[in-house]
Amino acid sequence: MAAVLIIEDDSTFAQIIEGFLSKNNYQVTTVNNVAKALKLLAHERFQLLLIDYRLPDGTGIDVLNHRRETGLTVPAIIMTSFNDVRTAVKSIQLGAADYITKPINPDELLMVISNALQKKELPKPTSADNFIRGKSEVANRLYQHIDLVANTDMSVIIQGESGTGKEFAARTLHLQSKRKNKPFIAIDCGALSKDLAASELFGHIKGAFTGAVADKKGSFEAADGGTIFLDEIGNLSYEVQVKLLRALQERVVQPLGSNRQIPVDVRVITATNDDLANSMKNGEFREDLYHRLNEFKIQLPPLRERGADLELFIDLFVKLSNQELNRNVKEIDKNTSSMLLKYDWPGNLRELKNVIKRMVLLTAGTVATADSLPDEMKIAVSKEVPLDNPSDLKAVNESNERALITETLAKVKYNKSKAAKLLNIDRKTLYAKMERYGID
């Protein structure tokens, strides 16, 4: 029986979720703020965290940051009622396994929890896999670069927005290289605490630090002869960057607490959704390490720039979801298809996969309709404001608020005082709504 910690300040909603999960054989504990959650996490073990984004003394991001800093590996799911997937994208960047929007569909909740606990991943690509290859011009250019550098030993930086498939690109590089029969090891640097990162990468010996009860082989040693993929490389501390640079230059690693140097032959592929050049200028990332890693750079295009590829991905995800969920969706109606194609997909392939899986899960027959799409998509693609005075924000329904605020801010060149006046709200309310909808 998996132990689930629910962090939710709406007591009625928390009781409903607790009762539902208990009936489905989960052991549930609930708390209503960040402080209580962190106290429990220090003394008790859970298999899953179900976290509301907005909490009385902080946000779900605070819990995710604590989880990363303390080296907890328990999967976490973020719940948000703000219908803005950008919050979810930020959460996933900080290590959340998934997200779900309120109001929560029970079947969807069980599916998301089950996936998080089982750590299900997309099928691993093979050399013949066409998973994200696509047929657009940007996709062709991407794979030309991959084909060009794959069979070399050059270090590669893969840069792209969250959810664009950076690990898939890294695996493709590995599978097309001369190292394809050796290990491929992927490390999420964003999920590693400062204290545990060096141990994870380079290993340690028994007694090297509190909790080191046995020798541990590091990822570099485990990947010997193959490829190591360091996702979100910019999150590594300066001290670990120094050790990494030495490992790359001298091709040896030294486990924590040991004087022994272990030779390693590893190709390094790194990924980031940030511009490491800026981090380097700010003194957060070593310049010598950056140049050592940046022998070749691959830029992954966001989904919104991949044109007709989107339809290929939709068809593929429907097929995979039908197989996984035992559904038989054969068609997407015209209105729903239009919404899927109009949406800008800020969460890219990861978000598309989640939306399509949810759509298939909620479709009982063979034709998917708009009822099975998340509210945030319907809000985002809705552009009409059916009011005589579209500048009166108090009279605009929630589905059009974000579009109206964005348009008004652009009109007044982001003068927030003028925007608040036009929208008939005060500045404090405007700031709150900008935060709510992820408007910068």
Side-chain angles (χ1 to χ4, degrees):
M1 181 181 290
V4 178
L5 175 62
I6 299 176
I7 309 168
E8 167 64 68
D9 63 327
D10 183 333
S11 58
T12 302
F13 178 74
Q15 288 175 8
I16 292 172
I17 297 298
E18 180 180 3
F20 175 71
L21 292 181
S22 296
K23 289 179 181 178
N24 283 274
N25 299 317
Y26 290 99
Q27 180 183 332
V28 182
T29 303
T30 62
V31 293
N32 59 10
N33 61 41
V34 173
K36 291 179 181 177
L38 300 191
K39 187 176 181 180
L40 264 182
L41 288 172
H43 299 98
E44 297 186 30
R45 297 190 64 176
F46 297 92
Q47 279 72 55
L48 181 78
L49 308 181
L50 194 57
I51 313 168
D52 188 26
Y53 175 72
R54 182 79 56 179
L55 294 162
D57 56 344
T59 70
I61 299 298
D62 298 323
V63 181
L64 293 177
N65 281 330
H66 172 81
R67 171 179 167 272
R68 182 173 65 178
E69 290 166 2
T70 55
L72 288 175
T73 58
V74 54
I77 296 168
I78 286 287
M79 301 183 290
T80 176
S81 58
F82 295 148
N83 294 326
D84 187 358
V85 76
R86 286 161 182 82
T87 295
V89 170
K90 182 178 180 182
S91 301
I92 288 174
Q93 290 171 352
L94 290 171
D98 212 334
Y99 70 92
I100 190 167
T101 54
K102 300 176 182 178
I104 288 175
N105 177 280
D107 289 337
E108 181 186 5
L109 178 61
L110 288 179
M111 177 188 73
V112 171
I113 288 177
S114 176
N115 287 347
L117 289 173
Q118 296 175 27
K119 296 183 178 179
K120 287 187 177 180
E121 298 180 352
L122 295 172
K124 298 295 185 284
T126 64
S127 57
D129 200 313
N130 201 33
F131 183 64
I132 63 167
R133 187 175 289 267
K135 299 179 180 178
S136 65
E137 182 179 342
V138 292
N140 289 334
R141 186 164 58 249
L142 165 64
Y143 274 87
Q144 285 174 0
H145 289 167
I146 288 177
D147 293 343
L148 181 67
V149 75
N151 207 33
T152 73
D153 272 335
M154 295 175 72
S155 297
V156 178
I157 290 180
I158 302 173
Q159 191 165 310
E161 296 177 8
S162 180
T164 47
K166 294 188 285 292
E167 182 172 344
F168 177 88
R171 287 184 182 276
T172 302
L173 283 167
H174 173 71
L175 288 168
Q176 291 184 13
S177 76
K178 56 191 176 185
R179 298 174 178 266
K180 63 184 178 181
N181 294 321
K182 296 293 185 176
F184 174 91
I185 294 182
I187 303 295
D188 181 3
C189 299
L192 296 177
S193 68
K194 175 182 175 181
D195 294 333
L196 293 180
S199 170
E200 180 66 34
L201 294 175
F202 311 119
H204 65 251
I205 63 172
K206 181 179 178 180
F209 52 86
T210 302
V213 296
D215 291 356
K216 173 184 170 64
K217 180 186 290 188
S219 298
F220 266 82
E221 187 179 356
D224 189 37
T227 304
I228 190 167
F229 172 57
L230 303 177
D231 197 7
E232 299 307 334
I233 182 73
N235 286 297
L236 290 180
S237 69
Y238 198 83
E239 292 83 355
V240 176
Q241 291 176 37
V242 173
K243 294 178 183 291
L244 176 58
L245 178 62
R246 183 183 178 218
L248 296 177
Q249 290 177 335
E250 301 181 17
R251 294 184 174 272
V252 297
V253 295
Q254 184 172 323
L256 296 183
S258 172
N259 294 322
R260 185 169 62 101
Q261 294 187 341
I262 303 171
V264 290
D265 173 23
V266 176
R267 184 189 193 178
V268 177
I269 300 174
T270 57
T272 177
N273 56 18
D274 297 319
D275 187 351
L276 287 180
N278 288 333
S279 298
M280 190 172 55
K281 290 178 183 177
N282 296 333
E284 298 169 353
F285 200 85
R286 290 182 61 100
E287 183 175 358
D288 45 6
L289 177 58
Y290 173 78
H291 292 303
R292 180 64 183 81
L293 296 172
N294 189 30
E295 293 182 331
F296 194 89
K297 180 177 288 183
I298 291 176
Q299 183 72 42
L300 293 187
L303 192 53
R304 60 184 173 274
E305 295 179 4
R306 297 192 61 164
D309 287 349
L310 177 56
E311 296 181 64
L312 298 177
F313 300 143
I314 291 171
D315 290 343
L316 175 64
F317 284 133
V318 168
K319 178 182 177 181
L320 293 175
S321 298
N322 275 334
Q323 293 172 353
E324 182 176 337
L325 302 172
N326 196 26
R327 291 290 198 266
N328 189 32
V329 174
K330 296 181 178 179
E331 182 184 350
I332 302 173
D333 72 18
K334 188 175 181 180
N335 181 43
T336 308
S337 180
S338 176
M339 287 186 178
L340 291 171
L341 296 177
K342 285 174 64 178
Y343 186 53
D344 67 353
W345 298 106
N348 293 295
L349 286 168
R350 182 187 290 117
E351 182 188 2
L352 176 63
K353 169 183 174 287
N354 289 345
V355 167
I356 296 300
K357 182 182 277 190
R358 179 187 194 275
M359 181 189 76
V360 169
L361 177 72
L362 299 180
T363 301
T366 60
V367 181
T369 65
D371 291 339
S372 60
L373 296 181
D375 289 340
E376 63 264 26
M377 283 191 59
K378 300 172 188 176
I379 292 171
V381 299
S382 174
K383 297 297 182 182
E384 295 182 2
V385 183
L387 298 169
D388 294 333
N389 179 14
S391 292
D392 186 353
L393 186 60
K394 293 179 180 178
V396 180
N397 61 45
E398 188 177 82
S399 67
N400 293 298
E401 276 189 351
R402 188 180 191 281
L404 181 58
I405 292 172
T406 303
E407 291 167 7
T408 304
L409 284 167
K411 185 188 301 182
V412 299
K413 298 181 180 179
Y414 280 78
N415 184 314
K416 297 180 180 64
S417 295
K418 290 183 179 179
K421 187 174 181 180
L422 281 174
L423 293 165
N424 193 27
I425 57 175
D426 57 36
R427 282 171 59 92
K428 183 177 180 181
T429 302
L430 175 61
Y431 284 132
K433 290 183 179 294
M434 288 176 66
E435 180 182 1
R436 173 178 179 176
Y437 293 116
I439 300 172
D440 298 324

